[in-house]
Each structure stands twice: as C-alpha cells, then as structure tokens.
Amino acid sequence: SFSFATIEKDKKKYSIVIDNGAVVQSVPKKQTAQAANSGVKIQDSGANINITVPRDELKNDLKDINKVLQSARVATFYEDGNFVGYRVAMLKPESPLLKLGLKVGDVITRINGSELTNPAALFNMFSQVDDISALNVDMLRNNEKKSLFVEIR
C-alpha cells in the first residue's frame, strides 16, 4: 500500500511516495507544476481532470522516444494479489507524462477504455499523437478513482 506526504525542507516543498514504509520517490513540489510554463491548460474538478495540450508541443516532447522512456518508470501494481494496473514509479522533471497530468504514485488502469495488459500499451499512445484528438486515462490517485481527459489541439 502507498502513502503520500508533503514535507518542507529549506523552504522547499517535496512530495513523498512511501511504499510499505520505504520512500519510493521524493520530488520537489514545483516539478508537478511544470505544465504551468507551457501551453498546457489544466482543470481539476476532483474526480475528473481535463487537460488541453498543444499538438506541436506534445509532438516535440515525444520526438525522442528513448528520452521519454528514460524520463519515467512504471511498475506493475497489485492489490490483494490481483493486477490493478501500472503505477507511475518515477517521473523526471522533463517527462512529458507530467504535461499529460500524471504524477508519481498514480496507478493507470485503462487508456481510451482499454485495459492495460502491458506497460508498452501506455507508451504506444505516443506514436498515435498525429492521429488522435483526445486521450482518456482511468487511474487511481491516492486510492481514489480519477478520470484524466487530455485534449490534443
């Protein structure tokens, strides 16, 4: 089970993800606000998060897939022995997944209505940026169901 906390050290706030007593990741709070410095618009209404991303900006962020893969880590997530989805275990500050609204600790369960059967399905969406106008991600954030809707313009 995961716990989440925010701590302050040297006047900087950090988000901490704890897995069974061990710190999984500590990231500066401002990292999660990276999208504020781009053309990304975020509207969070609790259970639903709506994000608008400029297509050109997203294509530029995704042009080097190896860099994208190095900027994030996902891991299988089980609960009571049952597969739930893929947990975002690490995001570097330059990760395009931050712009898409994902955070460390999120558990992705479905993309565009399809169950995830392997982590490649998560990254396959990057190759479809030219062909899609929206992306719907069902996930768990802090053990609550959330729906992330990303409009690509």
Side-chain angles (χ1 to χ4, degrees):
S1 71
F2 293 95
S3 300
F4 303 87
T6 300
I7 63 167
E8 188 170 329
K9 180 179 178 185
D10 299 326
K11 298 184 182 180
K12 291 183 182 178
K13 290 187 178 181
Y14 294 85
S15 293
I16 306 294
V17 180
I18 302 166
D19 182 5
N20 292 322
V23 174
V24 175
Q25 177 143 19
S26 168
V27 293
K29 231 10 190 170
K30 69 178 187 175
Q31 174 180 329
T32 60
Q34 174 192 358
N37 297 328
S38 68
V40 176
K41 296 177 185 170
I42 300 173
Q43 182 182 23
D44 188 343
S45 62
N48 297 311
I49 303 164
N50 297 309
I51 298 177
T52 303
V53 181
R55 185 178 308 276
D56 291 341
E57 186 175 325
L58 189 57
K59 281 175 63 174
N60 185 55
D61 290 344
L62 301 176
K63 67 183 173 193
D64 183 351
I65 193 65
N66 288 325
K67 191 173 179 181
V68 172
L69 294 173
Q70 291 173 1
S71 74
R73 291 213 181 18
V74 296
T76 53
F77 181 78
Y78 292 87
E79 196 167 72
D80 298 326
N82 298 313
F83 175 76
V84 176
Y86 289 91
R87 182 180 62 84
V88 178
M90 183 274 295
L91 290 173
K92 291 184 177 178
E94 68 275 9
S95 177
L97 296 181
L98 286 169
K99 284 186 181 176
L100 294 176
L102 293 173
K103 296 181 179 182
V104 172
D106 287 350
V107 177
I108 303 164
T109 57
R110 296 164 46 120
I111 295 178
N112 289 342
S114 298
E115 300 285 333
L116 293 181
T117 55
N118 61 63
L122 172 64
F123 293 103
N124 283 343
M125 68 182 172
F126 297 143
S127 64
Q128 302 172 3
V129 170
D130 284 330
D131 303 326
I132 60 175
S133 59
L135 185 66
N136 193 44
V137 179
D138 294 324
M139 64 181 179
L140 297 172
R141 178 173 286 166
N142 299 329
N143 294 321
E144 293 180 19
K145 289 184 180 183
K146 299 265 185 183
S147 182
L148 178 66
F149 180 78
V150 180
E151 181 180 11
I152 303 169
R153 289 190 177 176

